[in-house]
Amino acid sequence: MSDQDFRERVLSALERLEQKTERLEQKFDQKFESLETRLGLLEQSVSWIRGKLEGS
């Protein structure tokens, strides 16, 4: 294997790794946003329940 072939293989592997990392980051961001939304809804529900209990 020549140096040029080795460089091309390394660069190709790095490019695939970068693409995979970007996909994982996007997936993580989507999951995190979903979690933030769900926690916000939970917080609202808990506040509502607390208000009902304190008002009784």
Side-chain angles (χ1 to χ4, degrees):
M1 177 184 297
S2 69
D3 285 346
Q4 184 64 29
D5 291 339
F6 178 74
R7 287 183 188 142
E8 288 176 9
R9 290 182 72 181
V10 169
L11 290 175
S12 176
L14 287 174
E15 185 176 330
R16 287 191 311 272
L17 183 59
E18 184 177 351
Q19 290 171 353
K20 186 173 183 178
T21 301
E22 287 175 7
R23 285 192 306 271
L24 288 172
E25 285 176 355
Q26 289 174 352
K27 188 175 181 179
F28 175 79
D29 288 343
Q30 290 171 349
K31 296 277 185 179
F32 188 74
E33 287 175 10
S34 174
L35 182 59
E36 283 181 320
T37 301
R38 293 173 68 189
L39 284 175
L41 293 172
L42 178 62
E43 190 174 37
Q44 288 176 352
S45 296
V46 168
S47 294
W48 181 82
I49 293 168
R50 184 176 181 188
K52 289 292 183 181
L53 290 173
E54 289 175 349
S56 297

